[in-house]
Amino acid sequence: MKILMVLTSHDQMGDTGHKTGFWLEEFTAPYYVFKDAGADITLASPKGGQPPIDPNSETDDALTETTRRFQQDAHAKESLASTKKLSDVDMNDYDAIFYPGGHGPLWDLANDKKSVELIKTAYEQDKVIGAVCHAPAVFRDVEIKPGQNLVGGRNVTGFSNSEEETVGLTNVVPFLVEDMLKEKTGSYTCGDDFTPHIVVDGKLITGQNPPSSEGTAKAVIQALQES
């Protein structure tokens, strides 16, 4: 099982002056699910090198078992500090592609032509595609045929409008994940705010929020084992 994990390179929250990036738990929980299942993991980002971690995801109250494990894991930290440039990645080398969230992807990966190309190739090759929390934003420009988005007519989830409201960023983000998925005619569902909600539609696997990241990754492994 070869899994490509794609992280954001974007570190600014609009023009608020606040920092953003990827949400640490949404990287560490899937990373260790994949690693413990024996998968070969490659990390990539648009700019390569160390992707920005959302500082809010490193505060004491955001720490989890997997983020603590990561802090003690020299190899994982080294891998994260040296992500491959997205432009140097070939989807033919992987069985699955997975996107951790955080607000960063709304600004860069949602518009990244190489990311779109990778997802489209993964779809065409019937590979597993996973994204959690804000990361389903990366599907926004993925057309699998003219006028049809990847999520069109498919069951999906992602960070909900009410969750965005709870964190006070509705008017800061460039678009709302829930609204975008519905606009692209995805069949969107969500659970209660900040509780695990994972949706599996064939090989398209999405999770709603940080607490969904482990379950989303486990569903990716299950899909890989079944394929």
Side-chain angles (χ1 to χ4, degrees):
M1 294 186 292
K2 294 192 168 182
I3 302 175
L4 175 65
M5 294 183 79
V6 181
L7 297 133
T8 181
S9 291
H10 186 85
D11 69 353
Q12 295 294 321
M13 187 74 81
D15 52 13
T16 61
H18 293 296
K19 291 286 189 189
T20 189
F22 70 92
W23 196 260
L24 187 58
E25 180 195 22
E26 293 170 31
F27 163 68
T28 59
Y31 178 85
Y32 288 115
V33 167
F34 299 155
K35 188 177 180 188
D36 295 345
D40 182 3
I41 305 163
T42 298
L43 307 181
S45 62
K47 293 180 180 174
Q50 173 72 52
I53 301 173
D54 187 318
N56 290 327
S57 69
E58 293 187 291
T59 60
D60 286 346
D61 60 349
L63 294 181
T64 65
E65 192 184 324
T66 60
T67 62
R68 291 188 184 93
R69 181 177 170 186
F70 173 74
Q71 300 300 357
Q72 307 301 319
D73 186 340
H75 173 73
K77 285 165 119 172
E78 195 179 303
S79 301
L80 184 65
S82 55
T83 66
K84 287 180 83 157
K85 256 193 173 166
L86 213 48
S87 55
D88 295 336
V89 169
D90 184 341
M91 195 61 222
N92 291 305
D93 298 336
Y94 304 98
D95 305 306
I97 186 167
F98 185 89
Y99 288 81
H103 283 88
L106 297 173
W107 277 276
D108 65 349
L109 290 169
N111 312 307
D112 190 290
K113 286 186 172 63
K114 176 67 179 189
S115 175
V116 168
E117 178 199 308
L118 289 168
I119 297 166
K120 200 171 170 182
T121 302
Y123 169 80
E124 287 165 353
Q125 296 179 348
D126 197 30
K127 291 177 174 175
V128 179
I129 300 167
V132 67
C133 198
H134 285 87
V138 303
F139 303 141
R140 188 178 67 168
D141 293 343
V142 183
E143 286 204 347
I144 51 174
K145 51 178 102 148
Q148 190 191 343
N149 186 276
L150 173 77
V151 304
R154 302 187 70 178
N155 298 310
V156 286
T157 189
F159 206 60
S160 68
N161 290 355
S162 64
E163 286 170 323
E164 202 67 82
E165 206 171 303
T166 301
V167 299
L169 293 168
T170 303
N171 298 319
V172 173
V173 293
F175 61 93
L176 295 165
V177 175
E178 177 181 335
D179 285 356
M180 182 278 290
L181 292 171
K182 288 175 176 173
E183 278 160 23
K184 301 296 183 183
T185 69
S187 181
Y188 175 90
T189 59
C190 61
D192 293 338
D193 288 1
F194 302 104
T195 61
H197 181 69
I198 293 105
V199 174
V200 178
D201 187 319
K203 291 186 178 174
L204 178 64
I205 299 163
T206 47
Q208 181 180 330
N209 47 32
S212 307
S213 49
E214 184 179 339
T216 306
K218 284 179 173 173
V220 166
I221 292 294
Q222 191 175 342
L224 284 169
Q225 288 168 342
E226 288 169 357
S227 60

